[in-house]
Amino acid sequence: MSAESPVAVRRPQRADARRNFDALLAAARDAFAEHGTDASLEDIARRAGVGIGTLYRNFPTRQDLFETVYIGEIEQLCQTADDVAGLPPWEALESWLHRFVAYAATKRAIYEALNRDSAMFRSCREEIYRVGEPLMARAQSAGAVRPDVTFDDTVRMLSGLTSAGFRDDTQRDRVLRIALDGLRTR
């Protein structure tokens, strides 16, 4: 995320505490994806290889954990935009949109628990547009993406596609290819 971003995960300074924190985030993301917001906090701590006290020390409330997982996904999504920036325009956009779909799966798992009117949620949305719009504009300038499509159109299309879920990753990838094909210039 950018240095001026108001949205960032605040990781502990000590290396061991940071490892535990990151392990808890990874475990929570997986647990929420599998079981939704009702995932057991004890299971999350066990998956992370830490005690429940460590989980509560880092995340005093379940809501804190939801929001931190969500912000972590946004950070990864933004980092992916930086990582793909050197690729050819269509490849960069396509790679980033694949990561966006993965983010949408985590978001869907905890969506109801997030306060969508909060400054945090609005800031996360702004970050998505800040990093995604330039990728779309670059692909359009290169003639790879239809000029009549906006970034907002694309976000809404992919959000809609991911809202129903998929049987497996193969189906998700196939449906995503179909959707992305609709963005391409003919």
Side-chain angles (χ1 to χ4, degrees):
M1 297 189 103
S2 67
E4 68 275 358
S5 173
V7 179
V9 171
R10 311 244 188 285
R11 288 177 168 73
Q13 295 299 309
R14 280 188 7 243
D16 61 333
R18 195 169 42 253
R19 275 191 304 276
N20 288 343
F21 183 90
D22 289 342
L24 283 164
L25 282 183
R29 185 174 40 253
D30 293 345
F32 294 148
E34 291 173 27
H35 306 290
T37 57
D38 293 331
S40 159
L41 296 180
E42 290 80 7
D43 179 50
I44 291 169
R46 188 175 47 259
R47 287 177 188 220
V50 302
I52 192 70
T54 300
L55 184 143
Y56 281 115
R57 194 168 29 262
N58 283 283
F59 308 102
T61 69
R62 186 179 280 270
Q63 188 67 33
D64 292 330
L65 185 56
F66 292 146
E67 289 179 4
T68 305
V69 166
Y70 182 68
I71 291 168
E73 285 291 299
I74 297 298
E75 285 180 336
Q76 290 179 8
L77 190 58
C78 292
Q79 181 59 51
T80 298
D82 290 342
D83 294 346
V84 302
L87 295 174
W90 172 253
E91 287 179 46
L93 178 63
E94 182 181 36
S95 295
W96 188 82
L97 291 174
H98 276 275
R99 178 63 185 91
F100 178 85
V101 168
Y103 142 79
T106 298
K107 179 184 172 187
R108 192 184 70 213
I110 62 174
Y111 187 71
E112 293 305 317
L114 296 171
N115 177 357
R116 292 176 297 282
D117 294 325
S118 71
M120 178 275 304
F121 194 81
R122 284 190 307 274
S123 293
C124 286
R125 181 177 172 79
E126 289 168 8
E127 284 295 298
I128 290 169
Y129 279 70
R130 183 187 66 76
V131 302
E133 285 178 327
L135 293 170
M136 173 71 87
R138 187 170 157 241
Q140 285 175 317
S141 292
V145 173
R146 295 170 35 179
D148 63 326
V149 176
T150 68
F151 182 72
D152 189 58
D153 294 339
T154 304
V155 167
R156 291 175 188 278
M157 174 183 66
L158 295 178
S159 295
L161 287 174
T162 59
S163 67
F166 299 99
R167 283 190 310 270
D168 54 32
D169 290 347
T170 302
Q171 183 185 38
R172 181 197 65 211
D173 292 344
R174 184 175 56 253
V175 171
L176 180 56
R177 277 193 313 274
I178 294 166
L180 294 180
D181 190 49
L183 295 177
R184 302 284 311 248
T185 301
R186 296 285 169 231

